[in-house]
Amino acid sequence: MSQSTVPRPKLKIAILISGRGSNLQALIDRFGPAIAGSPIEIVLVLSNRPDAFGLTRAEKAGIPTLTIDHNGFADRATFDGAMDAAIRQAGAELVVLAGFLRLLTDGFIAGWHDRLVNIHPALLPSFKGLNTHARALEAGVRFHGCTVHFVRPDMDSGPIIAQAVVPVRPEDDENSLGLRVLAAEHRLFPQALRLIAEGKVRVENERAIVRDAAFAGGVLYNPLGA
């Protein structure tokens, strides 16, 4: 006699933003309230800026939003404490940084160890920090891309969950390269979060181990030979 499979509870996530929220929109399109069968429930979209357009995106989708303006706090630790309290009150189990333009304190990061995820517009560990597309062009690399990773106190570091690669073309400028990377982010971020929600990602010795997922094969060349 076959045993019935108990459905995995939805993973409750809080998404932190500071701006227009294009990655947020990609997550809403995959996991929003209107999506049947989603393994994820977005329980909160939190911004440190009241004018962030991402708040409007969330409100239109029927997702709870909250603004905690960092300007109203004396220091980063107090601000992070207010965010932490709001996130926990919302019932979130995973915190997702989707264009959140504030450095987090070590205490906040420790409180969400292996439950805090970021997307970075470069192939980490290369090009940490800002202006990644301009720096990639200046370095003359032939491939660029984006990385989803668990967050650690050192900036743009932590176990890598997934990466997407885009070729660098001779005619590229910072804008054209950035647009292709952003399109890759919009596809990669939901895929990585789905793997987490399905229980397929674990961290061992500061490496993210992904099971039951297909991996790319073969070799990519850029430029291509004759």
Side-chain angles (χ1 to χ4, degrees):
M1 180 182 296
S2 62
Q3 295 182 342
S4 60
T5 302
V6 178
R8 176 182 289 271
K10 289 189 176 187
L11 178 67
K12 297 181 179 181
I13 71 171
I15 303 176
L16 275 54
I17 63 169
S18 293
R20 59 195 177 94
S22 69
N23 267 309
L24 167 65
Q25 187 63 59
L27 298 179
I28 291 173
D29 291 344
R30 289 287 294 274
F31 307 125
I35 307 303
S38 167
I40 287 173
E41 178 185 359
I42 306 172
V43 296
L44 179 66
V45 171
L46 188 155
S47 177
N48 65 305
R49 293 176 52 183
D51 61 346
F53 183 67
L55 293 171
T56 301
R57 296 179 188 269
E59 289 165 359
K60 287 183 177 179
I63 297 169
T65 63
L66 179 65
T67 298
I68 301 180
D69 191 337
H70 61 275
N71 291 311
F73 295 85
D75 53 47
R76 287 169 51 205
T78 308
F79 169 68
D80 281 8
M83 285 201 306
D84 181 78
I87 292 166
R88 294 182 187 278
Q89 184 175 7
E93 302 163 290
L94 183 78
V95 179
V96 177
L97 306 180
F100 185 68
L101 304 179
R102 295 284 299 176
L103 292 176
L104 296 167
T105 57
D106 291 359
F108 183 95
I109 294 170
W112 292 94
H113 186 75
D114 290 347
R115 296 184 297 148
L116 177 61
V117 177
N118 180 51
I119 188 163
H120 181 71
L123 294 172
L124 293 175
S126 297
F127 307 120
K128 296 180 179 181
L130 303 175
N131 304 316
T132 59
H133 311 315
R135 290 160 56 205
L137 291 170
E138 183 178 359
V141 297
R142 300 302 186 186
F143 289 101
H144 191 37
C146 53
T147 303
V148 179
H149 65 101
F150 289 110
V151 175
R152 295 294 186 261
D154 290 340
M155 183 179 64
D156 295 327
S157 67
I160 292 171
I161 302 163
Q163 292 182 308
V165 175
V166 301
V168 179
R169 299 170 181 164
E171 69 274 15
D172 269 329
D173 58 18
E174 184 178 357
N175 182 65
S176 63
L177 181 58
L179 287 174
R180 288 207 308 287
V181 171
L182 185 61
E185 291 181 40
H186 293 168
R187 181 176 176 185
L188 182 73
F189 213 2
Q191 290 178 344
L193 295 186
R194 177 177 288 275
L195 289 170
I196 295 172
E198 292 175 347
K200 296 180 178 179
V201 182
R202 72 181 190 278
V203 177
E204 291 184 0
N205 300 319
E206 285 302 285
R207 289 186 60 196
I209 309 300
V210 181
R211 66 173 178 81
D212 298 334
F215 285 86
V219 180
L220 299 177
Y221 297 90
N222 188 37
L224 298 176

